[in-house]
Amino acid sequence: MDVSKDIGSLKGVGPKLREKLNKCGIFTVLDLLLYFPRDYEFLRSNIDFNEIDDKEKQVLSCRCVSIERDVRTKTGKFITTIKFDYLGYVVDGKWFNQRFIKNSFKIGENYDLMGKYKKLGNRLEIVNPIVGVKVAKENEIVPKYSLKGDMTDKILIKLINQCIEDLKINDNLPKELIEKYKLTDLDFAIRNIHFPSGREELEKAITRLKFQELFNYSMKLLILKRKLKSKNGIKFDWVDELADLKAALPYSLTEAQTRVVREILRDQKSQFPMNRLVQGDVGSGKTVVALIAMFNVVKNGYQATLMVPTEILANQHYLEAKKLLEQFDVHIELLTGSTSQKEKRRIKELIATDTPMIVIGTHALIQEDVEFANLGLAITDEQHRFGVEQRNKLINKGRRPDVLVMTATPIPRTLALYVYSDLDISVIDKLPPGRKPVETKFFLENDRTAGYSLVMDEINKGRQVYIVCPLIEEDEKMELNSVEKLYRELKDGIFRNVEVEILHGKMKPKEKDEIINRFKKNETKVIISTTVIEVGVNVPNASVMIIENAERFGLAQLHQLRGRVGRGQYESYCILIGKAKSEVTKRRMEIMTSSTDGFYISEQDLKLRGSGEMFGMRQSGDEGLILANIYEDLAILRCAREEGKQLLNSNNPEKVRLCNEIAESLDRWSQYICFN
Ligand code: ADP
Ligand code: MG
């Protein structure tokens, strides 16, 4: 069977079912096979009476003995009772409001009944059992899929079964690897991930598939890196004006910034395209590094672009760029969703000519009709906010431009190598001097008045305040409510005489800008917002950040939010308000109040949560990882990566062929793959 064929071509899949499958993201047979269960039900069948346990579902083969008369309860429900025999024990099967169920049974026949059996002395009782489950094995493990719409497990099980039956899955890992790591073959793994013949087999299937995913992932990154290193990019000279720019900055670069700038400039000068990640904690001064990099490219006669996730940030960077660079005769444009049509047209026309210039913008930059005549450098700021495709689109606007991605998401050093193994990494590991660490305090919800009174002191001193409420996922109304509710509450109370404004994601960009600008100009003292404020906003006079329902945020995000304050010369505070129901929450809040080091925090978070969620790495399954998790399966990843490296360096013809095969499949994907 060709696994790439449309799911609609399967027997029994009509247009309606096809649509349902599509809703679950299943378009081809392969998609179906890779639609792994989210969980399993461990069913035991036909066990001894003594072993029956009313906490777990069991399947027992019961002989129908008699069908009783329906009973009507006081509340008007009908109870149908059918008596069965199981190994000499009486079983009462009871159904509520399913009077027709009687027709499914014949006295003297055997039926497999699934459900939780309750022991009443020597009898058994089961309520609303499911009839006719196939009891294939002693102990069956039933897959549970994640379901959308009115899809059911039953449909999926039937279809997957049908596909697997007439399919022999060929292996795609080198034999030696399978032997070395005692992995099962792929065919076994796919069959057992859906329909495990036992717990041990399930474990084996999972391990094999995780290895597989992480091996592919490593190969992808390694091959990509090798390819990039083998291609010729643009060579940029170091222009003399770099020294003038450096002298004109209102501050001197920190040692860390200087080192990173040097690393970037070295890449620019080399004949290979740059592919570099700049990691630096919030406030470490990444913007100016990006501006210097763009400056050099423009002075070499090329175009450079900086893409950021929000309009607020685009504006801020634009103004900063103008302030620092315009005196050097650098042409700078701003392109965002709210740029007027006329302006957009003008800017796009200009970009399409080979005028050297810097273009700063949002997603508007990657629209199809934006064509760069000679893009030399593509930068994405706050890269975790972009999907792989978006980042890649930007890069594809040029012919092998240099690529720089910037992130404040701290990734523990031990992991960075694996997560970003195709990128060269620069770390800005020191903050500019004079920054005072943000003092962080945690208040239980009942004590929040105490937290807020500290705020009034700061406002009276002339400072400004951010208040952040969590964005309640998938419920826009709730989101508005939480911000608006808090606004009303505070406006009626402590902030009666204070200028307060609301900011949230559903506002028009222009509206958001106006609000931020009033805040920047110190006309507003307090902004109550959702997490739209998270990335990059820079208002040095703001000295307090209050975070409501702090327990709902990941530590990395709390750290990012906290980075909005402590940007000026003032003593700054972060006040976390929330519940501390569990030990883990308490510990997490402790981590926040005791440290301001993003790397330390992320490492601790990793220990506590043992998951990659906090980095937003799993957000879109970009890496083709379904079962494996880079953070949890680091041990497997290490092996897989090591093997991948060896495979790539091997001269053995068989292995070279395998590498070429993988590389070829990468070519097909490369439009979806990005450089991180
Ligand atoms: P982030 O790394 O979070 O993007 P920014 O680039 O926004 O940080 O910088 C934060 C603040 O630090 C800005 O106000 C910027 O002007 C200032 N800054 C950057 N570099 C230095 C430096 N070397 N000395 C002093 N202030 C600096
Ligand atoms: Mg920034």
Side-chain angles (χ1 to χ4, degrees):
M1 190 190 334
D2 174 13
V3 292
S4 66
K5 70 181 183 185
D6 192 284
I7 195 75
S9 62
L10 283 183
K11 209 170 72 201
V13 180
K16 261 207 184 130
L17 181 52
R18 180 166 177 265
E19 199 173 304
K20 279 188 208 173
L21 288 160
N22 290 353
K23 266 203 189 114
C24 296
I26 302 171
F27 296 89
T28 65
V29 172
L30 186 64
D31 292 340
L32 180 69
L33 290 175
L34 296 182
Y35 202 76
F36 298 153
R38 68 172 161 77
D39 203 0
Y40 301 86
E41 206 165 71
F42 295 88
L43 272 186
R44 305 214 302 156
S45 323
N46 294 335
I47 43 178
D48 271 3
F49 181 81
N50 293 332
E51 284 186 36
I52 293 173
D53 173 356
D54 63 10
K55 282 179 213 72
E56 275 188 40
K57 283 190 187 165
Q58 275 130 22
V59 186
L60 304 183
S61 257
C62 302
R63 185 167 51 83
C64 179
V65 176
S66 67
I67 298 174
E68 311 287 296
R69 198 180 262 234
D70 289 348
V71 176
R72 192 164 181 177
T73 66
K74 278 187 204 128
T75 54
K77 279 187 193 141
F78 285 100
I79 306 177
T80 302
T81 305
I82 302 178
K83 285 194 185 301
F84 298 87
D85 172 273
Y86 178 67
L87 306 176
Y89 296 92
V90 176
V91 181
D92 284 331
K94 289 187 188 295
W95 282 266
F96 285 84
N97 284 339
Q98 297 185 48
R99 301 176 71 187
F100 292 106
I101 200 88
K102 288 195 284 286
N103 304 335
S104 327
F105 295 96
K106 271 202 199 115
I107 290 173
E109 299 267 308
N110 275 318
Y111 298 91
D112 293 326
L113 303 183
M114 183 180 84
K116 290 180 181 164
Y117 288 85
K118 207 153 111 195
K119 275 185 191 164
L120 304 163
N122 259 345
R123 302 158 69 90
L124 290 169
E125 187 181 274
I126 184 160
V127 176
N128 288 335
I130 294 168
V131 189
V133 186
K134 203 171 88 198
V135 188
K137 291 130 210 151
E138 277 286 279
N139 299 312
E140 193 162 18
I141 305 177
V142 183
K144 297 265 149 212
Y145 294 91
S146 43
L147 305 169
K148 290 211 179 89
D150 43 7
M151 180 53 72
T152 66
D153 281 322
K154 212 170 153 184
I155 298 177
L156 287 169
I157 290 173
K158 189 172 153 256
L159 282 177
I160 294 170
N161 233 325
Q162 181 185 325
C163 288
I164 284 182
E165 252 167 35
D166 47 320
L167 190 69
K168 168 78 185 129
I169 302 162
N170 291 328
D171 221 285
N172 56 358
L173 277 184
K175 249 199 224 93
E176 299 154 45
L177 282 191
I178 297 184
E179 275 160 21
K180 182 167 171 189
Y181 294 99
K182 301 202 169 55
L183 300 170
T184 68
D185 62 51
L186 185 61
D187 191 75
F188 176 96
I190 295 278
R191 281 169 209 278
N192 276 277
I193 193 84
H194 289 291
F195 311 118
S197 45
R199 286 187 195 236
E200 213 177 299
E201 286 82 355
L202 176 59
E203 281 307 311
K204 280 188 179 158
I206 291 177
T207 308
R208 155 72 205 227
L209 293 168
K210 279 185 174 174
F211 190 95
Q212 164 100 43
E213 287 176 9
L214 293 169
F215 182 75
N216 285 352
Y217 171 77
S218 306
M219 285 299 281
K220 214 154 80 173
L221 297 184
L222 289 165
I223 290 177
L224 213 57
K225 186 167 192 167
R226 194 169 71 166
K227 258 171 112 167
L228 285 168
K229 290 271 178 230
S230 68
K231 272 188 181 156
N232 279 335
I234 307 160
K235 271 167 101 166
F236 303 100
D237 291 329
W238 299 343
V239 298
D240 295 338
E241 283 129 305
L242 277 169
D244 305 335
L245 171 61
K246 212 175 138 197
L249 292 176
Y251 41 74
S252 48
L253 293 179
T254 63
E255 228 173 89
Q257 284 169 319
T258 309
R259 172 168 31 81
V260 172
V261 167
R262 211 184 301 133
E263 285 163 353
I264 292 171
L265 290 177
R266 210 184 293 138
D267 284 355
Q268 292 193 341
K269 200 169 188 175
S270 107
Q271 69 187 66
F272 305 115
M274 165 164 70
N275 195 30
R276 186 170 287 279
L277 171 78
V278 174
Q279 247 191 70
D281 215 338
V282 269
S284 61
K286 293 184 289 296
T287 316
V288 67
V289 170
L291 293 179
I292 295 171
M294 293 200 287
F295 178 78
N296 193 50
V297 165
V298 171
K299 287 291 170 192
N300 270 271
Y302 285 83
Q303 297 168 323
T305 185
L306 170 63
M307 181 166 74
V308 298
T310 66
E311 298 212 357
I312 296 173
L313 205 50
N315 275 329
Q316 195 176 286
H317 283 356
Y318 174 70
L319 294 176
E320 184 81 5
K322 279 185 97 113
K323 200 169 79 192
L324 296 179
L325 305 181
E326 227 164 34
Q327 50 184 315
F328 295 97
D329 225 7
V330 176
H331 189 105
I332 307 167
E333 294 285 357
L334 174 70
L335 184 67
T336 71
S338 58
T339 307
S340 74
Q341 287 306 327
K342 201 171 142 215
E343 261 290 278
K344 266 189 194 153
R345 202 167 328 119
R346 180 188 66 77
I347 296 171
K348 281 180 204 161
E349 276 167 15
L350 195 62
I351 295 176
T353 69
D354 47 14
T355 315
M357 60 197 285
I358 289 177
V359 191
I360 295 173
T362 56
H363 300 85
L365 286 169
I366 52 177
Q367 300 309 310
E368 262 159 36
D369 55 350
V370 180
E371 279 172 35
F372 286 85
N374 62 351
L375 185 62
L377 172 63
I379 309 182
T380 29
D381 191 12
E382 309 291 351
Q383 62 92 25
H384 65 288
R385 286 296 196 100
F386 291 101
V388 166
E389 277 183 56
Q390 292 170 323
R391 276 172 263 150
N392 214 32
K393 266 190 188 152
L394 186 69
I395 294 159
N396 288 338
K397 295 275 175 198
R399 262 162 275 123
R400 285 185 224 125
D402 278 357
V403 171
L404 196 61
V405 289
M406 305 201 294
T407 184
T409 310
I411 290 181
R413 288 170 185 82
T414 42
L415 284 180
L417 174 67
Y418 296 100
V419 180
Y420 292 119
S421 59
D422 62 324
L423 290 171
D424 298 311
I425 300 175
S426 293
V427 186
I428 306 183
D429 50 9
K430 278 264 162 46
L431 298 183
R435 294 275 168 78
K436 297 207 177 88
V438 180
E439 194 179 324
T440 304
K441 294 179 178 165
F442 175 71
F443 290 91
L444 283 169
E445 258 165 17
N446 296 339
D447 306 329
R448 52 204 288 260
T449 336
Y452 274 88
S453 72
L454 193 154
V455 174
M456 272 323 287
D457 295 346
E458 284 296 298
I459 292 175
N460 290 335
K461 279 190 230 158
R463 300 288 85 72
Q464 288 163 281
V465 179
Y466 298 104
I467 302 177
V468 174
C469 303
L471 186 143
I472 294 156
E473 253 183 79
E474 283 169 12
D475 194 339
E476 293 169 13
K477 281 205 187 107
M478 291 273 271
E479 178 194 343
L480 300 188
N481 273 347
S482 60
V483 172
E484 268 165 10
K485 207 174 118 217
L486 188 65
Y487 173 81
R488 263 175 269 128
E489 198 182 303
L490 295 172
K491 223 26 216 172
D492 287 345
I494 184 165
F495 291 155
R496 242 179 333 261
N497 302 314
V498 181
E499 298 83 3
V500 185
E501 285 206 271
I502 290 182
L503 183 71
H504 58 73
K506 299 288 165 304
M507 286 173 164
K508 294 237 167 61
K510 192 154 168 264
E511 209 177 338
K512 280 193 242 173
D513 272 353
E514 285 165 8
I515 293 166
I516 290 284
N517 281 336
R518 281 194 289 274
F519 192 67
K520 278 191 171 167
K521 282 193 233 144
N522 200 356
E523 291 167 14
T524 331
K525 301 294 170 190
V526 180
I527 279 198
I528 305 180
S529 85
T530 56
T531 48
V532 288
I533 210 84
E534 176 202 343
V535 286
V537 175
N538 193 21
V539 181
N541 190 46
S543 67
V544 185
M545 161 71 62
I546 302 184
I547 303 172
E548 292 274 351
N549 294 102
E551 79 281 355
R552 295 207 191 184
F553 294 92
L555 293 194
Q557 202 178 12
L558 287 177
H559 182 66
Q560 284 248 320
L561 285 166
R562 179 166 66 181
R564 298 303 112 225
V565 296
R567 299 190 147 230
Q569 70 267 44
Y570 310 109
E571 202 72 62
S572 301
Y573 306 90
C574 173
I575 296 171
L576 305 172
I577 297 176
K579 303 187 185 76
K581 275 188 269 178
S582 68
E583 278 310 307
V584 175
T585 314
K586 266 185 217 147
R587 177 73 193 113
R588 293 175 69 228
M589 294 302 132
E590 257 168 46
I591 293 169
M592 289 307 296
T593 53
S594 67
S595 172
T596 50
D597 175 347
F599 284 104
Y600 171 81
I601 290 171
S602 71
E603 240 150 23
Q604 295 301 311
D605 201 12
L606 185 65
K607 275 190 196 149
L608 278 181
R609 295 219 272 172
S611 149
E613 279 166 61
M614 59 187 166
F615 304 111
M617 283 301 295
R618 280 175 81 91
Q619 52 199 359
S620 53
D622 283 346
E623 311 81 8
L625 302 179
I626 305 170
L627 291 172
N629 176 314
I630 294 174
Y631 304 93
E632 283 168 0
D633 301 315
L634 195 59
I636 303 179
L637 179 58
R638 278 201 183 112
C639 297
R641 185 180 145 86
E642 201 39 56
E643 296 297 341
K645 256 186 169 166
Q646 289 197 13
L647 188 66
L648 269 179
N649 292 331
S650 162
N651 298 325
N652 173 317
E654 178 64 11
K655 290 188 178 165
V656 172
R657 189 188 56 76
L658 191 67
C659 283
N660 288 343
E661 242 173 50
I662 298 176
E664 217 172 90
S665 70
L666 285 179
D667 263 345
R668 264 179 279 132
W669 299 340
S670 65
Q671 56 179 334
Y672 299 113
I673 302 169
C674 182
F675 306 91
N676 55 3

